[in-house]
Amino acid sequence: MLITRVLFNRAPKADNFWKRRRVFKLTAHYRGRKRNCYSIAIKYLHRALVYVKKGRKLKKKDAIELWQQRISAGCRELGSSYEALVRGMARCQIALDKKTLANLAIWEPRTFKSLTQIAAAKLRQEPIKGLNDISPPPAGVITRGML
Amino acid sequence: MALMRSLLSKLSLIQISPKYLRPNGIVNSISSSRYILQVETTEKCAIRTLRSAAFNNYEGVKLNAAQQTSAEPQQEVLENQHDLELAVTKETITKVNNQIEENSHGRLFAVIHFAGKQRRVTDGDLIMVEGTHPTNVGDVIRAEKVLLLGSRDFTLLGRPLLRPDLVRVEATVVEKSLTHTKTIFRNRRRKNYMRINFCRNHFSILRINCVRLEGLVDQRPEVEGVEGRIF
């Protein structure tokens, strides 16, 4: 038997079934023809995969926005504001980030209240032009020149 | 005729004399107008002085409108708050130290800065650290950057970090593995450009063994930064 003739044969064409199955497994939850028709499904799948990649960055951005909203809400409940808290804390060299501040605002309200009071007392000593005083002067914060 | 004369004589007897003038009343005769004006002006002066007296917080009423009212300088005497504040501070610190000595503060939580992120931890927590970490499973790690320590009754805030001889946070590495497969798909439609990559990152899971206070507040050692160093 002539083997070289066999070796010169081109590889058989791959079965489309498996290529399309890979796509259909990912589009199983789509609606209508997007679920079962390959040429329609592939378009929507490509878009979905691109959104997965974009969403990883947006998730971080959305989380930061959410934390900021929650901190602001917690501050306003106590008569302060987000800007006052953050700027007061920066001046006192307290380096807590938005994630932990939001966590404390929800789960450790006393700690959060003390933070707002410290920031407000600091801003009372070193006022910032343009930052309005929402609340009356805080009681119970003793600075002794340390703030 | 006799009736008419009697009426007339009776009418002539009635006179409107200035004595019976009332200060606010309206009188028709011209001669009495002077009296009304005088009464009215004196009354207006009295009202004006009463109003000014109320405004200046004066006791008594000065009816002489010509006299000028002088405002006394208002002074506020502030007490020295320093000693009061010191006393309150010391009281608070002793209360906190009593709780630490008796170990009656309960569960402590801490905010640690670990692997680029701040995490709020307490005893028994599991934290996930993404990326390669030079530790092995079973190693005990001490978290050195502690920003905040809190309990039910008090919070200790670091500026920005708390002293290492005051707080101790220890963790054990429990698991080291790879994350789930993440697809990175890039597509430029109608431009014949499509790339797909798959990625799995390393991660470690740490179990926080303890968050505890080791020293007393406001009692700093004479020499700091010496613990754990090898000389």
Side-chain angles (χ1 to χ4, degrees), chain B residues 46-57:
Chain B
I47 293 163
R48 221 181 285 126
T49 50
L50 278 165
R51 280 192 192 141
S52 64
F55 185 75
N56 289 330
N57 286 324

Side-chain angles (χ1 to χ4, degrees), chain A residues 46 49-50 53 56 92-93 95-97 99-100 103-104 107-108 110-111 115 118 142 144 146, chain B residues 85-86 88-89 109 111 118 120 147-148 152-153 155 157-160 182-187 194:
Chain A
H46 285 171
L49 289 172
V50 170
K53 181 173 161 272
R56 282 190 210 115
C92 297
Q93 285 138 32
L96 296 167
D97 67 354
K99 184 174 100 178
T100 41
N103 191 314
L104 295 173
W107 300 110
E108 307 289 337
R110 288 187 189 179
T111 308
L115 282 166
I118 288 167
I142 291 160
R144 279 168 53 219
M146 294 198 330
Chain B
E85 287 180 357
L86 250 179
V88 175
T89 314
F109 74 90
V111 171
Q118 289 183 14
R120 204 207 103 185
L147 297 141
L148 187 155
R152 199 181 60 238
D153 294 324
T155 318
L157 294 165
R159 302 174 70 190
K182 294 176 188 173
T183 33
I184 302 157
F185 183 77
R186 282 173 277 254
N187 184 42
M194 191 162 84

Side-chain angles (χ1 to χ4, degrees), chain B residues 17 104 121 192:
Chain B
S17 63
S104 62
V121 291
N192 200 23

Side-chain angles (χ1 to χ4, degrees), chain A residues 26-44:
Chain A
L26 295 167
T27 61
H29 62 281
Y30 289 4
R31 196 165 189 258
R33 287 204 288 169
K34 291 184 263 187
R35 180 170 50 229
N36 289 324
C37 302
Y38 179 77
S39 47
I40 298 165
I42 192 77
K43 291 179 203 170
Y44 290 96

Side-chain angles (χ1 to χ4, degrees), chain A residues 1-66:
Chain A
M1 192 184 165
L2 290 165
I3 306 165
T4 40
R5 187 85 186 269
V6 170
L7 289 170
F8 282 140
N9 282 351
R10 297 198 70 173
K13 198 178 167 187
D15 199 349
N16 271 345
F17 173 81
W18 301 105
K19 176 185 164 190
R20 287 162 189 224
R21 206 182 96 112
R22 268 207 312 273
V23 168
F24 292 138
K25 277 185 93 172
L26 295 167
T27 61
H29 62 281
Y30 289 4
R31 196 165 189 258
R33 287 204 288 169
K34 291 184 263 187
R35 180 170 50 229
N36 289 324
C37 302
Y38 179 77
S39 47
I40 298 165
I42 192 77
K43 291 179 203 170
Y44 290 96
L45 179 64
H46 285 171
R47 301 202 85 193
L49 289 172
V50 170
Y51 289 148
V52 166
K53 181 173 161 272
K54 282 186 190 172
R56 282 190 210 115
K57 293 221 160 57
L58 289 174
K59 186 177 173 187
K60 295 165 180 75
K61 188 165 158 274
D62 288 345
I64 289 166
E65 220 178 283
L66 178 67

